[in-house]
Each structure stands twice: as C-alpha cells, then as structure tokens.
C-alpha cells in the first residue's frame, strides 16, 4: 500500500495515491464531506474508513456526504470493504448521502447499499442539486461542492 496522508491548508485531510484520492472536509462536528477522485484498487487498505473513526467516536451518529462524480472505478474488494463498514457502523451513522452521475458508480453504490442492509440510511443522488441541498441543511456554512472540488491525484 503506497499512499500519502496530508492535512491541507483549509484543515481538510487528503489521502492520495498515484490514481486515486479521498479528501475529507469537516464543516461542523458530526458532518463529514468526503470527495473521491479516480480509481480505488485497494491501495489504501482500511485507511479511508479509518479516517472516519474519530468522527464516529466523538460525534456519532454522524452525517456522511460522499461525492463520487470523478470516480472511475472501485474494485470488488474495495466495494466489499465499504459494504462491511456501512453494515458494521450503521448505528453510528445518522445518514449517508452519495452523489454520482456515472451509471456504473450509481449501480455500485446501490449494490453496496443493498448488501450492507442499511435500508434508507444510504441515499444515492444522481443530480447534484438535491445532494447539495441536503449538505447545506446539515452544514449551512459549508461553501458548497464547487469550493470543495480541488485537483485529484
């Protein structure tokens, strides 16, 4: 596993490899906005989930917002790891909102939702407007998707 973890100027955290990045913004306690870019082939191991450990231990149940508009793929072990994580941490999650406009990643997110047995806890959005509205309700001071978008790996 070869990746880098860094704290950015705005306080957000980025995990990055040659082909993928996860950026975590925490607009307020109990709300995490995670942006994923690229293709995750498993090089991060459990680090993307581990990054949420402190949020859960301090603020559960948390609201998790995942923007995957620039995700080009995730291999099966990565999908299985997220499925298991959502299932295990269901009591610590108030809601999970996922945005993707890719039909492939939409299908992937729906499969993870189904097999994690989380029911309506996870909501998958195909359009940015309702996703961003939900994010603004959870964290009114968050600058929005455009401001959170920074270059990927």
């Amino acid at each position: 596993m070869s990746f880098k973890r860094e704290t950015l100027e705005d306080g957000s955290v980025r995990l990055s490899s040659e082909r993928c990045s996860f950026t975590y913004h925490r607009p307020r306690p109990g709300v995490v906005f995670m942006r994923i870019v690229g293709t995750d082939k498993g090089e991060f191991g459990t680090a993307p989930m581990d990054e949420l450990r402190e949020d859960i231990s301090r603020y559960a149940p948390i609201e998790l917002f995942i923007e995957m508009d620039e995700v080009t793929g995730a291999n099966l072990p990565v999908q299985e790891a997220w499925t298991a994580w959502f299932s295990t941490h269901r009591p610590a999650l108030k809601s999970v909102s996922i945005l993707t406009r890719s039909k492939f990643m939409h299908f992937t997110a729906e499969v993870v939702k189904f097999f994690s047995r989380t029911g309506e806890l996870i909501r998958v959005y195909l359009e940015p407007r309702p996703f961003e509205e939900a994010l603004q309700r959870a964290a009114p001071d968050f600058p929005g998707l455009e401001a959170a978008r920074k270059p990927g790996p």
Side-chain angles (χ1 to χ4, degrees):
M1 287 185 279
S2 179
F3 67 91
K4 177 172 71 171
R5 183 187 187 278
E6 59 187 319
T7 302
L8 305 177
E9 284 183 27
D10 65 0
S12 59
V13 172
R14 177 177 291 148
L15 305 176
S16 58
S17 71
E18 201 173 288
R19 63 181 155 252
C20 187
S21 70
F22 290 78
T23 305
Y24 299 81
H25 299 269
R26 292 167 170 93
R28 72 174 189 83
V31 177
V32 179
F33 172 77
M34 180 171 55
R35 181 168 187 259
I36 309 169
V37 175
T39 301
D40 186 353
K41 301 245 182 205
E43 64 267 35
F44 297 96
T46 61
M49 296 92 162
D50 295 344
E51 191 62 40
L52 298 168
R53 184 180 300 130
E54 187 172 334
D55 297 285
I56 286 174
S57 69
R58 294 180 72 193
Y59 305 114
I62 67 168
E63 292 179 84
L64 181 58
F65 293 85
I66 305 171
E67 191 230 331
M68 302 187 332
D69 257 6
E70 294 183 56
V71 172
T72 52
N75 68 15
L76 189 56
V78 169
Q79 294 172 38
E80 291 171 344
W82 278 107
T83 299
W85 189 87
F86 285 128
S87 181
T88 299
H89 291 87
R90 181 179 186 180
L93 299 168
K94 182 176 180 181
S95 65
V96 178
S97 299
I98 300 172
L99 172 63
T100 182
R101 286 182 267 187
S102 153
K103 289 181 182 180
F104 172 73
M105 291 311 299
H106 175 256
F107 176 75
T108 299
E110 290 290 348
V111 168
V112 166
K113 174 182 174 176
F114 178 78
F115 284 108
S116 66
R117 293 179 166 76
T118 52
E120 293 308 307
L121 176 77
I122 297 175
R123 183 159 185 188
V124 183
Y125 294 87
L126 294 169
E127 296 295 327
R129 185 179 196 89
F131 175 86
E132 192 157 12
E133 288 170 355
L135 179 56
Q136 287 297 309
R137 281 191 299 276
D141 295 333
F142 190 66
L145 293 179
E146 290 305 316
R149 290 183 174 142
K150 295 181 180 166

